[in-house]
Amino acid sequence: MKSSVFDGKEVLHPRPSTIVAAMYTMRDFDVDLIVMHGPPGCSFKHGRLLEEDGVVVLTSAMGEDNFVFGGEDKLVETIERGIDRFDPDLVGVVGTCASMIIGEDLGSTVEKVDCDVPILTVDVHSGFRDNTTGVKMTLDRALEIGLVGEDEVSRQKEMLEQASIVEKRLGSANDEYIPPSDGDLKLKVCRELVSLIEKGSKGVVVLNAKKETSYIFADVLHAVNQVKEEVNPGSSLINIGNLDSGRGLPRVRENAETVGRQLKEFGVELDFVSGSLDEYPVAGERAKNWILDNHPDYDYIVLLGVPHAVEISDGPVISVTNGPRGVVPLKNDLGHDYVVVEKDLHTKCMGLREIDSSRTGMTLRELLE
């Protein structure tokens, strides 16, 4: 007899963690030191990645005895030791599933810490359906301690709602199980792209990247422009990017300013700025509308970053994503002709402060030699 446990649609493949989402948001507030109140192995991969991005990540290293008798003293000691050793300007303290299950009260525990450094405490765990909950909780706490204003928090939450909608409609949360895929062979796709440019086809490139991933997706934008200048400088190529540096949390604004400035140094001018790096869920729609209003006669389009937020299928359409589970929806639901995966791109973005090489960009440049 079939169980009724999964009567509703439930995403069964691994999804980003609410705890990790809170930690990345702390990073975007320029937190220097994050203390996780949990077992030493909790979220270890992202803890290491954040350290490569300049944030010290510690754990209170809860053990079996703490699961029974509590770990408040251990948390206070870890925070104080971290402050003494690393001299941070802003500290983040984040909960975990373990601290939630045994009922630890992070707020009252952190009040016992003897220091004058502001502490952003987020009592979170991974039992939420949407990982964006971790971001919202961090924003609410940041508002309480004066790190951000109400207008920015409202804007951030609206973007998070839109991001969840996009993921459930066309992204990695749109079916209960989506198999990961490596996508199309980069060499084949790059040859097709070079061929289109050689023929003089009119192209549009849309950078619709999420935060720090722009450091590598922007390299593809640069490489397409290099190919155009090399093989057919008279052909038409329209550049669009969500690189408005006037909105977002401190780290996000810095990323947009850096990428935009470097593209200019490379000789790449944007014809339309579709939004900021945290507006990727809505910037794709703006880009689509601008294209249809101003360049409906394009012959091919290249979508970089979060392609499923740009609902356009007349093409050929070439997508470049960093999500292996994004390939099937892009092919099946949006009908994109080619989907290229920049595997492990997010990992490579950690610590970057300038545009770095993408595999797709390197392949395009190889074809010029």
Side-chain angles (χ1 to χ4, degrees):
M1 180 178 174
K2 184 181 176 185
S3 167
S4 61
V5 172
F6 291 113
D7 278 349
K9 188 172 121 179
E10 190 97 14
V11 175
L12 301 178
H13 52 260
R15 297 274 296 136
S17 161
T18 318
I19 299 168
V20 171
M23 293 166 67
Y24 275 98
T25 309
M26 289 178 172
R27 184 276 314 265
D28 290 341
F29 276 110
D30 286 337
V31 164
D32 306 295
L33 168 68
I34 295 176
V35 178
M36 281 191 292
H37 188 35
C42 184
S43 302
F44 81 98
K45 180 177 179 181
H46 287 280
R48 289 178 179 176
L49 290 175
L50 283 166
E51 290 216 296
E52 291 184 21
D53 217 18
V55 183
V56 176
V57 180
L58 304 178
T59 166
S60 60
M62 294 173 71
E64 290 179 323
D65 54 337
N66 301 120
F67 297 161
V68 178
F69 300 110
E72 291 187 351
D73 293 341
K74 210 166 186 183
L75 176 59
V76 171
E77 181 184 347
T78 305
I79 297 170
E80 291 179 344
R81 286 175 64 187
I83 291 172
D84 286 344
R85 179 160 183 172
F86 300 105
D87 191 27
D89 294 320
L90 179 61
V91 174
V93 175
V94 64
T96 65
C97 299
S99 63
M100 180 274 291
I101 289 170
I102 65 173
E104 298 279 85
D105 185 344
L106 262 62
S108 62
T109 302
V110 169
E111 289 178 1
K112 298 175 184 174
V113 176
D114 182 18
C115 76
D116 55 5
V117 181
I119 300 178
L120 177 60
T121 306
V122 181
D123 198 351
V124 66
H125 54 81
S126 277
F128 297 97
R129 186 177 294 268
D130 296 327
N131 73 321
T132 50
T133 302
V135 183
K136 292 175 185 173
M137 294 172 74
T138 308
L139 291 167
D140 287 338
R141 182 58 183 148
L143 177 63
E144 288 175 15
I145 64 174
L147 292 178
V148 65
E150 289 187 10
D151 289 347
E152 180 61 21
V153 170
S154 295
R155 193 187 72 83
Q156 292 280 333
K157 287 186 175 180
E158 172 60 23
M159 290 303 108
L160 293 167
E161 293 294 331
Q162 294 298 324
S164 291
I165 291 171
V166 167
E167 284 308 305
K168 289 174 183 176
R169 286 191 61 239
L170 295 163
S172 60
N174 91 328
D175 205 350
E176 63 177 18
Y177 182 77
I178 303 172
S181 169
D182 289 341
D184 292 303
L185 189 66
K186 291 179 182 60
L187 182 60
K188 179 185 77 173
V189 178
C190 288
R191 279 178 174 159
E192 174 66 17
L193 182 53
V194 172
S195 173
L196 287 165
I197 295 172
E198 283 177 332
K199 292 175 187 170
S201 303
K202 181 177 181 178
V204 178
V205 186
V206 181
L207 175 70
N208 191 51
K210 180 179 180 181
K211 301 184 180 181
E212 62 272 14
T213 64
S214 57
Y215 283 120
I216 291 182
F217 282 121
D219 179 64
V220 186
L221 175 68
H222 179 210
V224 176
N225 278 265
Q226 286 180 302
V227 171
K228 180 248 182 189
E229 290 302 317
E230 187 76 23
V231 306
N232 194 345
S235 62
S236 176
L237 185 62
I238 307 301
N239 295 307
I240 298 172
N242 60 325
L243 292 174
D244 186 338
S245 60
R247 291 189 291 279
L249 301 183
R251 184 69 69 95
V252 177
R253 294 183 186 214
E254 178 187 336
N255 293 341
E257 193 279 331
T258 303
V259 172
R261 173 176 47 76
Q262 276 203 289
L263 284 174
K264 281 186 179 177
E265 291 170 358
F266 296 151
V268 178
E269 294 287 342
L270 296 181
D271 297 282
F272 178 62
V273 177
S274 54
S276 55
L277 284 172
D278 57 9
E279 290 182 332
Y280 61 92
V282 297
E285 182 72 10
R286 292 174 190 154
K288 182 190 81 171
N289 292 335
W290 188 86
I291 293 166
L292 296 179
D293 288 342
N294 295 278
H295 298 281
D297 56 339
Y298 72 87
D299 297 309
Y300 69 93
I301 188 164
V302 182
L303 305 177
L304 312 172
V306 187
H308 48 286
V310 191
E311 290 191 55
I312 201 161
S313 55
D314 292 333
V317 179
I318 299 170
S319 288
V320 184
T321 176
N322 63 319
R325 295 186 196 276
V327 175
V328 172
L330 286 169
K331 289 261 189 182
N332 295 349
D333 297 340
L334 285 176
H336 288 190
D337 299 273
Y338 304 99
V339 180
V340 174
V341 177
E342 284 283 337
K343 214 167 183 179
D344 300 325
L345 177 145
H346 199 202
T347 301
K348 294 172 184 170
C349 289
M350 294 296 104
L352 292 182
R353 295 294 182 272
E354 59 183 19
I355 294 174
D356 200 9
S357 298
S358 62
R359 292 190 180 100
T360 308
M362 288 190 290
T363 306
L364 283 168
R365 294 181 184 107
E366 283 282 335
L367 291 174
L368 295 178
E369 295 179 355

